[in-house]
Amino acid sequence: MTIAPTASLLSPVTLFMQADVIVKAVMIGLVLASIWTWTIIFAHGLRLKKIARANDAFEKDFWKTEDIDRFYEGPGRADLPSAKVFSAGVSEWRRSTRGKAVDREGTRSRLATAMGVAIAAEMDRLSDRLNILATIGSVAPFVGLFGTV
């Protein structure tokens, strides 16, 4: 005599309750990893949208300004990626043009380097916690394979 599977026997809760301790631990770990991952995704997305709006406002103000030095002392000191790159450029410009003789090629090179370093630092800061998503994403197929065994 075989028992026909019913909806109550195949419900996720019933299957979980009948599972072995190891299977339960793996399933709980997967649920926690999923919650953690989605939390990071949503929080990071909201953070990037907020920063993008602030950067857009900063850039509009930058292109409207008539006095770069006054802009540098005010909004140029903001904690925004574009403001950090702008600040690095102005600081290097002031340092490179302080003397009597100005080496134009050297100044361009130093400006490019200073601003490139600032861009790289801001990209690192903006991509914070993405390595966790990459790790979970690369491990997920193996955990799924483990679950089928």
Side-chain angles (χ1 to χ4, degrees):
M1 176 178 194
T2 60
I3 299 175
T6 62
S8 64
L9 289 175
L10 294 178
S11 75
V13 174
T14 305
L15 290 172
F16 178 79
M17 295 308 287
Q18 293 175 355
D20 191 42
V21 175
I22 295 174
V23 175
K24 287 180 183 177
V26 169
M27 290 174 72
I28 290 170
L30 289 173
V31 167
L32 292 176
S34 177
I35 291 169
W36 189 26
T37 300
W38 285 108
T39 302
I40 291 171
I41 290 169
F42 285 124
H44 198 69
L46 292 174
R47 180 175 163 234
L48 287 179
K49 279 185 182 181
K50 180 182 172 186
I51 290 172
R53 281 194 302 270
N55 271 332
D56 289 343
F58 175 85
E59 288 179 27
K60 284 179 185 176
D61 291 344
F62 171 78
W63 289 112
K64 288 179 185 176
T65 192
E66 305 223 353
D67 185 1
I68 291 291
D69 289 323
R70 191 168 7 153
F71 186 77
Y72 173 71
E73 296 303 327
R77 300 287 188 171
D79 190 27
L80 296 170
S82 54
K84 299 275 181 135
V85 173
F86 169 73
S87 180
V90 170
S91 296
E92 185 56 42
W93 173 261
R94 287 180 176 176
R95 194 171 334 162
S96 295
T97 58
R98 193 176 307 152
K100 291 181 181 179
V102 176
D103 176 18
R104 290 179 184 230
E105 275 307 306
T107 300
R108 280 190 196 113
S109 176
R110 286 188 299 278
L111 275 170
T113 301
M115 293 174 80
V117 167
I119 289 170
E122 290 305 308
M123 287 177 59
D124 284 346
R125 194 170 66 107
L126 289 174
S127 66
D128 183 37
R129 292 195 182 165
L130 292 183
N131 57 349
I132 295 168
L133 295 180
T135 301
I136 291 172
S138 65
V139 169
F142 300 110
V143 174
L145 226 115
F146 175 69
T148 60
V149 174

